[in-house]
């Protein structure tokens, strides 16, 4: 069959299904809806598209041109009555009504990146729900409504897919509260509409997790602007920060084979790798500190080499028949060994492919760490966020041309500015600003952060961070020997101390019903209750087993990993699972650009 999708559909499918997996499902051809497609009259077509005006018009055109044998129309979110009528009249005119086999509203308007992580937009219309769009000074009410509606439509899809109605908590007076109110209303209306409710078999479907309803915590990005700019130290978050990790595919620049002329920079070619659910190494190490990952890759490599040597040795023994006595006696046990070695060859080759892939990714990360001194940045920021004294001054970092890019320096200073316990005087800020300008930094993000800090009740905020920090342990001997793939000399072996980031702290207070000053006036919504109450008092005091933490604005892998670690640390507690979601996933560079845009609009 043929799979026809639009860009939204492509973003949703690509992190979950590879081309070979689609082929196993019988998809022989996959094409973009708005590309030139030839008729294939004897093949069924499955469409997976948004129900937009132009998409529906294009499907009508396909019907008129009788491109396929039959049509299975799957809309990513609910199709309106008007668009359905457009489709019906086009099918009537083209005489293709019998060919339309199925029309579905799939409610899949979100992108799944992990079992416990989703984002709403990637390449399409993400600007409309970005941190910048929601926090612009000149945003119109109508634009804000449209952004909130888009977020609510996607969150509604998430809960239709989970088959369960959440209890919703949100802070007051920001975008998160608007999303919570609108989602509560949308869920409420759907539950009341008994003929068309999508939650009638609620208890049946939810049974796959538990009979208890999940808690949805909706938070505004403004709760914490330091973490999205933080230099990180764990594998997945580092790959997102310094390499081009998008939709579970990472691009690594590798030096091209041919030699470049003297003095010229070596040519580099980008190679893409898929990081998926079946890669055991990735699944077990994506949340590990980088030096641990490098050590694990080295260990896997050594293990692989010993297996490879065993296969070679057995083969050579097999070729020695009749030449010496030892070979003959070994033959009988070796035949069995060789058979098992050969049968495990495909597995061995796949293992080799994954080891090579992780070696290349880790080597690329190591290059960035060394060139930009990312270990030093990470350690300094961890100290700032946990109120420890610094052993290197900021001015030294800013004036050191070897220490990272101008953006690295800006990120460091913004974190210092946000997390410093004392309020900095204007004169102090100006002094730092001069040093940053001398280091070629764009000061626009700082203008915005100054405004933001003045507006936000930052009196309580510095206490949100803390408990973090790092400790340095001696570098692994395995990596310091000369035979290692990774020359780790000069890179600090930092181990992250377990601590909860602000988002995790809020989630923890709401999950365990703790009294925590930041969450005392959080609103409480229960879409199943008949009346809407403006209450902060949770009626449902049952222990929470499943929670979804959703960030309105930019999300990141650092917070996701922190929540994963939090659940692991609560092994005896009631919470079994936390899913992290965000309207868009941005690495620090993208987020800094959004802040710069907001800052330049202030002047």
């Amino acid at each position: 069959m043929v799979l026809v999708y639009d860009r939204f559909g492509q973003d949703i499918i690509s992190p979950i299904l590879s081309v070979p997996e689609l082929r196993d499902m019988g998809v022989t051809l996959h094409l973009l809806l708005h590309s030139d497609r030839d008729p294939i009259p004897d093949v069924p077509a499955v469409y997976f598209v948004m129900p937009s005006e132009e998409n529906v018009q294009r499907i009508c055109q396909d019907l008129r041109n009788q491109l396929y044998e039959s049509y299975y129309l799957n809309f990513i979110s609910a199709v309106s009555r008007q668009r359905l009528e457009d489709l019906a009249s086009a099918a009537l005119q083209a005489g293709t009504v019998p060919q339309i086999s199925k029309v579905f509203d799939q409610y899949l308007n979100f992108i799944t990146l992990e079992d416990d992580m989703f984002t709403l937009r990637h390449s399409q219309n993400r600007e409309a729900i970005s941190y910048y769009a929601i926090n612009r000074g000149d945003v119109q009410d109508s634009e804000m409504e449209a952004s909130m509606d888009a977020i609510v439509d996607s969150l509604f899809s998430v809960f239709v897919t989970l088959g369960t109605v959440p209890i919703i908590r949100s802070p007051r007076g920001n975008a998160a509260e608007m999303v919570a109110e609108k989602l509560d209303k949308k869920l409420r209306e759907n539950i009341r509409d008994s003929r068309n409710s999508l939650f009638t078999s609620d208890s049946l479907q939810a049974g796959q997790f538990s009979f208890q309803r999940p808690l949805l915590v909706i938070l505004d990005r403004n709760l914490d602007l330091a973490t999205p700019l933080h230099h990180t130290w764990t594998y997945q978050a580092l790959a997102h920060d310094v390499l081009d990790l998008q939709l579970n595919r990472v691009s690594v620049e590798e030096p091209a084979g041919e030699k470049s002329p003297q003095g010229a920079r070596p040519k580099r070619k980008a190679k893409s790798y898929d990081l998926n659910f079946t890669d055991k190494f990735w699944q077990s190490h994506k949340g590990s500190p980088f030096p641990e990952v490098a050590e694990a890759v080295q260990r896997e490599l050594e293990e692989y080499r010993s297996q490879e040597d065993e296969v070679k040795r057995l083969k050579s023994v097999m070729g020695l028949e009749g030449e010496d006595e030892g070979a003959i006696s070994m033959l009988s046990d070796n035949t069995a060994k060789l058979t098992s070695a050969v049968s495990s060859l495909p597995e061995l080759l796949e293992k080799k492919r994954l080891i090579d892939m992780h070696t290349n990714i880790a080597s690329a990360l190591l290059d960035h760490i060394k060139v930009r001194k990312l270990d030093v940045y990470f350690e300094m920021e961890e100290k700032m966020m946990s109120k420890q004294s610094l052993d290197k001054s900021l001015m030294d970092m800013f004036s050191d041309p070897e220490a990272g890019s101008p953006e690295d320096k800006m990120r460091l200073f913004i974190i210092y500015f946000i997390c410093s316990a004392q309020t900095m005087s204007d004169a102090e800020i100006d002094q730092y600003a001069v040093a940053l300008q001398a280091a070629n930094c764009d000061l626009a993000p700082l203008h915005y952060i100054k405004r933001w800090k003045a507006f936000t009740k930052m009196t309580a905020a510095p206490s949100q961070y803390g408990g973090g920090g790092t400790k340095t342990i001696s570098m692994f001997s395995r990596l310091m020997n000369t035979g290692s793939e990774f020359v780790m000399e000069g890179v600090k072996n930092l181990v992250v101390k377990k601590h909860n980031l602000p988002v995790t702290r809020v989630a923890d207070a709401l999950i365990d019903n703790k009294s925590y000053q930041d969450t005392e006036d959080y609103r409480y919504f229960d879409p199943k209750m008949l009346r809407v109450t403006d209450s902060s008092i949770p009626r449902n005091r049952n222990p929470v087993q499943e929670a979804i933490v959703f960030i309105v604005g930019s999300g990141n892998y650092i917070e996701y990993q922190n929540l994963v670690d939090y659940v692991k640390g609560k092994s005896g507690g009631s919470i079994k699972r936390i899913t992290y979601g965000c309207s868009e996933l941005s690495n620090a560079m993208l987020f800094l650009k959004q802040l710069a845009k907001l800052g330049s609009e202030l002047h």
Side-chain angles (χ1 to χ4, degrees):
M1 64 179 151
V2 179
L3 173 63
V4 181
Y5 46 60
D6 61 357
R7 293 274 180 209
F8 282 99
Q10 190 177 26
D11 285 349
I12 293 167
I13 293 169
S14 66
I16 310 175
L17 294 167
S18 64
V19 174
E21 285 170 316
L22 285 173
R23 207 176 297 123
D24 291 344
M25 294 170 176
V27 174
T28 45
L29 202 57
H30 46 95
L31 303 160
L32 277 166
L33 176 66
H34 293 282
S35 60
D36 295 330
R37 288 171 286 117
D38 297 324
I40 315 176
D42 51 350
V43 171
V46 174
Y47 285 72
F48 185 58
V49 297
M50 284 295 258
S52 66
E53 173 73 31
E54 54 176 344
N55 283 356
V56 169
Q57 289 308 323
R58 185 60 192 254
I59 297 170
C60 293
Q61 190 184 320
D62 290 356
L63 295 174
R64 284 193 288 273
N65 296 340
Q66 307 207 348
L67 288 192
Y68 307 111
E69 175 196 65
S70 54
Y71 302 83
Y72 294 80
L73 307 179
N74 297 273
F75 291 107
I76 293 168
S77 61
V79 62
S80 68
R81 176 152 191 113
Q82 178 56 54
R83 305 259 157 89
L84 268 180
E85 286 175 6
D86 295 348
L87 269 174
S89 56
L92 269 171
Q93 285 165 8
T96 52
V97 173
Q99 274 83 24
I100 298 186
S101 305
K102 293 266 165 69
V103 180
F104 284 112
D105 286 335
Q106 289 291 9
Y107 293 100
L108 289 172
N109 191 8
F110 57 95
I111 299 167
T112 305
L113 296 171
E114 303 280 347
D115 289 346
D116 50 4
M117 182 184 194
F118 66 91
T119 179
L120 304 189
R121 298 281 170 81
H122 176 66
S123 63
Q124 298 302 297
N125 294 15
R126 83 184 266 172
E127 291 74 30
I129 55 173
S130 66
Y131 179 80
Y132 168 75
I134 296 165
N135 291 279
R136 263 170 45 213
D138 60 349
V139 64
Q140 303 294 314
D141 286 355
S142 56
E143 291 172 304
M144 193 67 167
E145 285 287 320
S147 297
M148 298 297 108
D149 287 341
I151 292 172
V152 168
D153 184 67
S154 289
L155 279 177
F156 183 75
S157 288
V158 169
F159 288 99
V160 172
T161 304
L162 287 172
T164 169
V165 179
I167 288 177
I168 306 170
R169 301 297 305 269
S170 82
R172 292 174 186 270
N174 56 23
E177 183 181 29
M178 288 173 73
V179 171
E181 281 178 349
K182 281 176 175 284
L183 181 63
D184 175 61
K185 182 168 180 274
K186 195 172 172 89
L187 286 165
R188 196 175 284 281
E189 284 169 1
N190 191 272
I191 295 164
R192 301 286 168 272
D193 178 0
S194 52
R195 273 187 53 210
N196 300 312
S197 174
L198 296 155
F199 296 98
T200 43
S201 54
D202 192 3
S203 52
L204 292 173
Q205 280 181 296
Q208 60 186 336
F209 295 123
S210 70
F211 288 107
Q212 287 186 318
R213 292 163 59 195
L215 173 71
L216 169 63
V217 180
I218 302 178
L219 300 172
D220 193 296
R221 178 69 276 160
N222 287 311
L223 167 76
D224 170 16
L225 291 187
T227 302
L229 296 170
H230 188 18
H231 287 85
T232 172
W233 199 233
T234 54
Y235 194 22
Q236 184 176 36
L238 254 176
H240 188 234
D241 186 10
V242 304
L243 305 176
D244 191 22
L245 171 63
Q246 296 187 23
L247 298 180
N248 296 350
R249 167 169 275 216
V250 66
S251 296
V252 177
E253 281 195 347
E254 295 176 340
E258 69 271 13
K259 288 214 166 77
S260 39
Q262 203 112 34
R265 285 192 64 186
K267 285 184 185 163
R268 302 183 83 79
K269 55 179 193 261
K271 189 161 184 189
S272 291
Y273 299 106
D274 287 319
L275 297 165
N276 55 28
F277 305 99
T278 54
D279 178 349
K280 288 196 184 75
F281 185 89
W282 175 247
Q283 290 305 325
S284 52
H285 291 289
K286 64 187 181 197
S288 305
F290 179 74
E292 274 178 36
V293 174
E295 188 186 30
V297 173
Q298 188 65 28
R299 208 170 34 239
E300 293 274 321
L301 199 58
E302 286 164 17
E303 196 181 300
Y304 168 77
R305 282 178 184 153
S306 69
Q307 283 174 303
E308 194 181 40
D309 290 347
E310 176 69 357
V311 174
K312 280 181 189 159
R313 191 183 69 76
L314 288 168
K315 280 183 176 166
S316 67
V317 166
M318 296 299 279
L320 291 175
E321 287 152 319
E323 287 186 20
D324 72 26
E325 293 299 307
I328 301 291
S329 63
M330 284 170 73
L331 193 58
S332 53
D333 11 314
N334 278 333
T335 310
K337 278 190 186 168
L338 187 66
T339 311
S340 89
V342 171
S343 68
S344 65
L345 210 57
E347 204 179 299
L348 210 59
L349 291 170
E350 174 60 8
K351 190 172 184 179
K352 173 82 169 85
R353 184 187 73 78
L354 290 174
I355 292 169
D356 287 348
M357 171 175 100
H358 288 291
T359 305
N360 291 344
I361 295 170
S363 303
L365 289 175
L366 185 57
D367 288 348
H368 278 276
I369 291 169
K370 287 175 161 180
V371 169
R372 290 164 55 188
K373 298 194 177 172
L374 297 181
D375 49 342
V376 181
Y377 277 101
F378 169 69
E379 189 179 25
M380 283 182 80
E381 289 165 6
E382 283 283 314
K383 283 183 171 167
M384 289 169 184
M385 289 164 94
S386 57
K387 307 283 170 289
Q388 296 172 13
S389 55
L390 300 178
D391 46 12
K392 185 170 183 171
S393 85
L394 284 181
M395 286 299 193
D396 289 350
M397 285 296 276
F398 298 158
S399 59
D400 180 356
E402 302 286 298
S405 64
E407 290 82 5
D408 288 326
K409 293 173 181 177
M410 195 70 219
R411 286 161 63 181
L412 179 73
F413 181 67
I414 290 175
I415 291 171
Y416 177 68
F417 180 66
I418 291 173
C419 297
S420 59
Q422 287 86 31
T423 308
M424 290 167 73
S425 69
D426 287 348
E428 270 181 285
I429 296 171
D430 291 344
Q431 204 179 344
Y432 281 119
V434 170
L436 286 165
Q437 249 174 330
N440 290 326
C441 293
D442 173 9
L443 294 182
L446 183 58
H447 300 318
Y448 176 73
I449 292 288
K450 275 161 71 176
R451 165 75 64 90
W452 170 82
K453 194 168 177 178
F455 271 142
T456 327
K457 295 192 288 292
M458 287 307 283
T459 45
S463 67
Q464 291 185 334
Y465 303 98
T470 57
K471 57 178 191 289
T472 311
I473 54 176
S474 60
M475 188 45 90
F476 302 111
S477 53
R478 182 186 291 277
L479 292 179
M480 289 321 261
N481 68 23
T482 44
S484 166
E485 290 289 312
F486 303 104
V487 185
M488 297 287 278
E489 217 124 21
V491 174
K492 297 188 179 195
N493 182 21
L494 301 167
V495 179
V496 191
K497 289 183 187 165
K498 291 280 172 267
H499 64 293
N500 290 342
L501 292 171
V503 164
T504 309
R505 238 170 246 197
V506 168
D508 174 52
L510 295 172
I511 286 164
D512 288 348
N513 284 315
K514 291 179 184 166
S515 61
Y516 177 52
Q517 73 180 66
D518 290 6
T519 58
E520 271 167 13
D521 66 340
Y522 269 45
R523 292 193 60 184
Y524 177 93
F525 300 89
D526 183 348
K528 284 191 168 181
M529 301 278 289
L530 280 168
R531 284 195 307 283
V532 184
T533 54
D534 181 17
S535 148
S536 298
I537 299 137
R539 288 164 173 269
N540 190 339
R541 285 276 174 188
N542 293 339
V544 175
Q545 290 195 354
E546 187 189 354
I548 291 108
V549 175
F550 182 80
I551 310 290
V552 179
S554 300
N556 54 70
Y557 282 108
I558 307 176
E559 286 170 338
Y560 162 66
Q561 191 55 49
N562 198 244
L563 286 165
V564 169
D565 293 341
Y566 163 78
V567 175
K568 278 185 193 155
K570 301 276 280 188
S571 52
S574 64
I575 185 79
K576 300 287 181 278
R577 173 189 175 93
I578 295 185
T579 300
Y580 178 79
C582 52
S583 43
E584 51 144 12
L585 191 64
S586 308
N587 64 12
M589 287 298 287
L590 259 175
F591 191 62
L592 195 65
K593 277 182 185 153
Q594 295 192 41
L595 297 180
K597 225 165 148 186
L598 289 162
S600 60
E601 287 171 10
L602 292 175
H603 280 258

